Amino acid sequence: MKKFVSLLLVLTLVLSVFAVASAEGAKKVGIAMPTKSLERWNSDGEYLDEQFKAAGYETLVVYSDNDVNKQVNDIQNLLAEDVDMLLITAVDGQALNTVMDEAAEKGVIVIAYDRLIMHDAVSYYVSYDNYTVGKLQGEFVESALDLANAGDKTFNMEFTAGDPADNNAGYFFNGAYDVLKPYIDNGTIKVVSGQTEFQQVATAQWNTDTALDRAQNLLASYYADGTVLDAWLCSNDSTAAGVAQAIESDYAGDNVVIVTGQDADDVNLVNIYEDKQTMSVYKNLGNEVIVTLAVAKAALEGEIDGEQLATTFGIECDFDTESYETTPGNKCPSFLLVPTVVTKDNMQVLVDTGFYAWNADNTYVQKVK
Ligand code: GAL
């Protein structure tokens, strides 16, 4: 019996030493997502958590209700937990100065995930090429209306952009606007409301109801007299959902209005199937997480050769040291992935990612994780 007890004691000791070793060995990664109220951040938060855990990291995930103060607080709590690294998707890229100073003081590596933070404590930025996202939306409208061959024909359209606090939103808008500007300038496109400035068309917090309200107002003010609406350029799916709802309830015309989006969210995929939205720009979540994990791993192990690292992902990804600055003149090394256009006709590309499956009737696809 004595022998058994001492054996048990030794075993317990060995096991607890192992437990301490693995807990001490595992680096801690704090993951700060902006909100649970927008579909994509739920998916990103969960998948980042899952993949970082699977790679042996300890993770702490927070969501900040799109509230800047809450996010500052949440990140401070992560720092108090002695995280080695922070992955942050900022609610407001300009509003994290104090907490970024604190991260820098503690030597915590910061990766800006998807949205850039305007602070030099950011070591790396992982995202999709945001300007290209907008460009794909603009080109989609250009080709759907065959603007290049319009001749004397004219088309009416409106714009809805994203959250001004989100550094991406301006890139999306400019990417789209730059494609369409020549047609606006030569009169082929008429923006009937006259609202073509980013600040006029922006949507605080990418909120669906805010986009819906503005769209209803514009439809009532400029289209109630029977003016035809041909297209509505929306920067993402949460805003496109609001615009599509406004068109359905408040637009009297019977033409199919071209509506763009981004993220391939569930509601929007149904809308695409039902012709209430025409396209979405998909940014493969799995790929963004693979790249983030590889960058995180390399950064936690020491200096990164970004150029070389970007060749190891097996995914199309540019290492870009020119396009993004955290403060004027301070370029942020960025890993930029390539987005894909999704329409009614190629939803299979989503299924191929493993994150979506066809519905029971094989008519549209929905997220499975
Ligand atoms: C952006 C992101 C988009 C979209 C939007 C609203 O920063 O790049 O994919 O989801 O936020 O959540």
Side-chain angles (χ1 to χ4, degrees), residues 38 40-41 114-115 166 168 172 206 236 262-263 283:
L38 294 164
R40 78 155 288 187
W41 305 117
D114 202 83
R115 300 177 178 172
D166 176 349
N168 290 351
F172 299 148
W206 299 94
N236 89 326
Q262 166 188 197
D263 288 338
K283 306 190 298 193

Side-chain angles (χ1 to χ4, degrees), residues 73-358:
N73 220 22
D74 286 342
I75 297 172
Q76 267 159 349
N77 289 338
L78 292 174
L79 288 172
E81 293 284 339
D82 287 330
V83 291
D84 299 284
M85 171 173 277
L86 284 167
L87 304 181
I88 302 174
T89 305
V91 171
D92 182 337
Q94 309 270 4
L96 296 180
N97 284 341
T98 317
V99 76
M100 286 296 95
D101 287 341
E102 288 167 23
E105 263 163 45
K106 292 190 92 174
V108 173
I109 303 167
V110 179
I111 297 181
Y113 180 80
D114 202 83
R115 300 177 178 172
L116 193 58
I117 302 164
M118 302 303 124
H119 192 288
D120 296 349
V122 174
S123 299
Y124 301 100
Y125 178 40
V126 179
S127 194
Y128 275 80
D129 182 333
N130 298 304
Y131 185 84
T132 299
V133 170
K135 189 165 171 265
L136 291 173
Q137 294 167 336
E139 285 171 353
F140 188 91
V141 172
E142 180 185 39
S143 114
L145 297 176
D146 196 14
L147 297 176
N149 302 306
D152 291 341
K153 262 196 251 154
T154 60
F155 300 94
N156 298 327
M157 73 174 289
E158 298 296 337
F159 289 86
T160 292
D163 186 351
D166 176 349
N167 187 59
N168 290 351
Y171 285 89
F172 299 148
F173 177 74
N174 290 336
Y177 197 80
D178 289 351
V179 174
L180 298 170
K181 185 174 184 299
Y183 302 106
I184 296 172
D185 289 348
N186 74 12
T188 303
I189 287 181
K190 192 164 176 221
V191 181
V192 181
S193 69
Q195 298 183 10
T196 54
E197 298 295 321
F198 174 72
Q199 290 299 338
Q200 293 176 302
V201 304
T203 312
Q205 301 193 342
W206 299 94
N207 185 282
T208 300
D209 289 337
T210 308
L212 165 70
D213 285 349
R214 176 170 169 268
Q216 283 179 325
N217 284 336
L218 295 194
L219 289 170
S221 308
Y222 301 100
Y223 296 86
D225 60 358
T227 300
V228 172
L229 171 68
D230 295 293
W232 203 305
L233 191 303
C234 298
S235 288
N236 89 326
D237 277 356
S238 60
T239 53
V243 166
Q245 197 180 323
I247 292 172
E248 199 179 359
S249 59
D250 290 52
Y251 175 60
D254 53 13
N255 59 307
V256 171
V257 181
I258 292 156
V259 177
T260 65
Q262 166 188 197
D263 288 338
D265 284 348
D266 279 344
V267 169
N268 303 78
L269 292 167
V270 178
N271 280 354
I272 290 175
Y273 168 66
E274 291 176 349
D275 284 333
K276 295 176 191 162
Q277 183 173 326
T278 328
M279 63 89 87
S280 189
V281 176
Y282 179 58
K283 306 190 298 193
N284 187 320
L285 147 73
N287 290 349
E288 199 165 357
V289 172
I290 288 174
V291 171
T292 305
L293 182 56
V295 173
K297 226 170 166 178
L300 283 165
E301 279 162 16
E303 280 289 297
I304 290 191
D305 177 350
E307 199 80 56
Q308 196 276 331
L309 188 67
T311 64
T312 64
F313 305 142
I315 297 165
E316 209 181 335
C317 179
D318 277 343
F319 179 64
D320 178 326
T321 52
E322 285 305 315
S323 302
Y324 291 95
E325 295 184 342
T326 47
T327 53
N330 191 67
K331 309 274 186 201
C332 185
S334 305
F335 294 86
L336 302 177
L337 292 135
V338 182
T340 315
V341 170
V342 173
T343 66
K344 217 179 192 172
D345 300 326
N346 71 341
M347 286 195 187
Q348 181 61 36
V349 299
L350 296 177
V351 177
D352 293 343
T353 66
F355 290 96
Y356 295 80
W358 287 101

